[in-house]
Amino acid sequence: MAHSATSKSGSKPIAEHETETGSGENRLKRDVEEVSICKRLPKRWPVRVNDVYVNNKTNHQAQLNRCKKLLESGFNEILIHGLGAAVHRAINMALQLESDNPSLHLHVNTSSVRLKDDVVPLTDNGEFSTQTRINSAVHIKVYRLTADSETKPTT
């Protein structure tokens, strides 16, 4: 990611061809032309039938239809997960489900997920390394109350 103007700390300018990595005073400057950052896939929890992982690549309407189909097929709850840029899509999807069906309720949890990236040198004299970044995530339980459970489920 190229920065112009000033660094995140605001103290000194960064040229457009450099990036900052690390945290605090131990920030390293890397020349973008010397390294390539390969983002690893996030850790994926075991997928259950009623889990829906929302992303920005799949059609929103298709993901919404999948949620509706799960609820119509007899599931009393589904879990919608969104990571990073897909958080707003996950929230939007849950709110659409709730507005279409007033008997549905929502229970929202947020979290921060540590992601690792590989830093690959583009020159022969560079070193391979990894960097860690933190991304926001949302986990939304969409459920309907049954006659057996008239209280909110615990998470």
Side-chain angles (χ1 to χ4, degrees):
M1 173 197 277
H3 295 279
S4 59
T6 59
S7 67
K8 289 180 184 177
S9 61
S11 59
K12 50 188 168 181
I14 298 175
E16 285 195 35
H17 64 280
E18 295 177 344
T19 62
E20 280 189 7
T21 60
S23 61
E25 297 298 320
N26 297 328
R27 285 191 197 206
L28 301 173
K29 289 185 189 174
R30 286 196 195 105
D31 192 348
V32 174
E33 296 169 358
E34 293 179 4
V35 296
S36 173
I37 298 176
C38 300
K39 296 181 178 181
R40 292 184 189 176
L41 291 174
K43 182 179 177 182
R44 190 89 177 221
W45 298 105
V47 178
R48 297 171 290 198
V49 177
N50 60 339
D51 280 335
V52 177
Y53 287 89
V54 177
N55 59 47
N56 288 333
K57 293 182 180 179
T58 306
N59 185 332
H60 179 75
Q61 190 62 44
Q63 291 174 337
L64 184 62
N65 289 341
R66 179 166 179 246
C67 291
K68 288 179 181 179
K69 188 184 285 187
L70 285 170
L71 289 168
E72 291 168 0
S73 69
F75 285 100
N76 286 326
E77 71 179 26
I78 61 171
L79 288 104
I80 299 173
H81 307 277
L83 178 67
V87 165
H88 74 281
R89 279 188 108 175
I91 293 169
N92 186 20
M93 188 173 303
L95 290 173
Q96 283 181 331
L97 288 169
E98 185 185 38
S99 69
D100 291 347
N101 189 343
S103 68
L104 293 177
H105 301 280
L106 304 178
H107 183 76
V108 180
N109 286 322
T110 59
S111 65
S112 297
V113 179
R114 288 187 184 273
L115 302 173
K116 286 199 173 202
D117 300 331
D118 294 319
V119 181
V120 180
L122 299 177
T123 60
D124 292 337
N125 57 358
E127 290 185 24
F128 286 90
S129 63
T130 61
Q131 68 182 20
T132 302
R133 59 189 168 95
I134 298 177
N135 217 337
S136 299
V138 67
H139 314 280
I140 306 168
K141 184 180 288 191
V142 180
Y143 64 96
R144 65 172 57 99
L145 294 178
T146 61
D148 299 337
S149 63
E150 288 297 320
T151 60
K152 246 185 182 174
T154 59
T155 54

